[in-house]
Amino acid sequence: MTELTGLRALVTGGASGIGLATARALTARGASVAVLDLAPDGVPEPVLGLRADVGDDASVRAAVETAATRFGGLDILVNNAGIGAAGTVEDNPDEQWHRVLDVNVLGMVRTTRAALPHLRRAAEARPGAAAVVNTCSIAATAGLPQRALYSASKGAVLALTLAMAADHVREGIRVNCVNPGTADTPWVGRLLDAAEDPEAERAALNARQPMGRLVTAEEVAAAIVYLASPAAASVTGTALAVDGGMQGLRLRPEPRS
């Protein structure tokens, strides 16, 4: 037996990147895991892949009920699905603002709303087991260039996490978030591919983080699993940075040789 044996988890956006790494990590520690994704066909067994769009309430509710029925309930919800956007406040049209906020913020609202009845039952049956973990971002706490829309959405996720933690702590449901720095995920890979000089852009992103490299999806997943696990039974309303020191460290420039 491992620390998550008997627990049942749902991960949105779980077919790639941080979501897939999280699904694998939860499974390795004994949890039964379902993922919600627009394209879940490549999810490895024994993870249950469910097709759902977090932008559509009926789709989310149906998928959550399917997972809860298959597993006999839900103990853990990882709200990871999200989309990106580049540009200053001048660059993104209203339609894109609506789309990103709908997925990144309301997507978490829809999934949590559908999962709450199951999480309440889990909290009653096994105190300390019910947990929600939201994937936020360093963009919620640091000003990043060319990320106005994305940063606004993640700032909302941080505030939403704190409000949810306050609302549900007395029900025995913990709510936390992780704030990754720039992670080596397929989305970041697509941004790099679109840059005029992908190698120079990658080098700049590496240098921006004090550890000198991008965060890995597996490192973010490890933080999510900790927050979701009974080991974090007294942790709620917390934002855990996994950013290579980007938020908190202010290093002096290295001396030139």
Side-chain angles (χ1 to χ4, degrees):
M1 292 181 63
T2 61
E3 68 268 34
L4 300 184
T5 296
L7 297 183
R8 300 137 314 170
L10 182 67
V11 182
T12 69
S16 64
I18 291 169
L20 180 57
T22 300
R24 286 174 167 159
L26 290 166
T27 301
R29 288 161 178 78
S32 299
V33 181
V35 302
L36 273 60
D37 202 279
L38 291 171
D41 297 337
V43 173
E45 295 182 353
V47 177
L48 172 64
L50 298 171
R51 192 176 308 278
D53 178 359
V54 297
D56 179 75
D57 189 61
S59 169
V60 167
R61 288 184 182 276
V64 169
E65 289 307 310
T66 297
T69 299
R70 180 74 65 91
F71 295 154
L74 292 174
D75 304 278
I76 296 166
L77 171 62
V78 179
N79 282 312
N80 172 75
I83 56 177
T88 73
V89 74
E90 294 180 293
D91 296 329
N92 307 112
D94 284 5
E95 293 78 12
Q96 191 174 11
W97 276 87
H98 290 308
R99 174 61 178 161
V100 172
L101 292 172
D102 187 57
V103 172
N104 291 6
V105 184
L106 285 172
M108 293 189 180
V109 171
R110 294 182 185 104
T111 311
T112 306
R113 189 166 55 200
L116 271 172
H118 304 290
L119 295 173
R120 290 186 179 108
R121 285 191 285 271
E124 291 177 0
R126 186 173 175 178
V132 178
V133 185
N134 298 326
T135 300
C136 192
S137 172
I138 183 69
T141 57
L144 304 180
Q146 295 289 319
R147 293 291 183 272
L149 169 50
Y150 182 73
S151 296
S153 75
K154 291 302 183 177
V157 168
L158 178 58
L160 177 64
T161 298
L162 297 175
M164 287 168 53
D167 284 337
H168 302 295
V169 63
R170 289 179 177 168
E171 295 179 306
I173 301 170
R174 298 181 298 105
V175 186
N176 296 285
C177 67
V178 292
N179 286 1
T182 304
D184 199 356
T185 63
W187 177 64
V188 170
R190 289 191 292 272
L191 288 178
L192 291 172
D193 290 341
E196 291 185 7
D197 188 339
E199 289 188 11
E201 183 67 14
R202 179 176 283 275
L205 292 178
N206 285 337
R208 187 170 70 178
Q209 298 184 158
M211 290 184 69
R213 62 171 176 83
L214 300 185
V215 175
T216 70
E218 288 73 22
E219 289 166 338
V220 181
I224 292 172
V225 170
Y226 163 69
L227 291 173
S229 75
S234 290
V235 181
T236 193
T238 291
L240 178 55
V242 188
D243 61 4
M246 185 177 173
Q247 171 60 31
L249 304 185
R250 299 293 183 270
L251 304 186
R252 296 177 64 182
E254 293 184 357
R256 295 182 179 180
S257 56

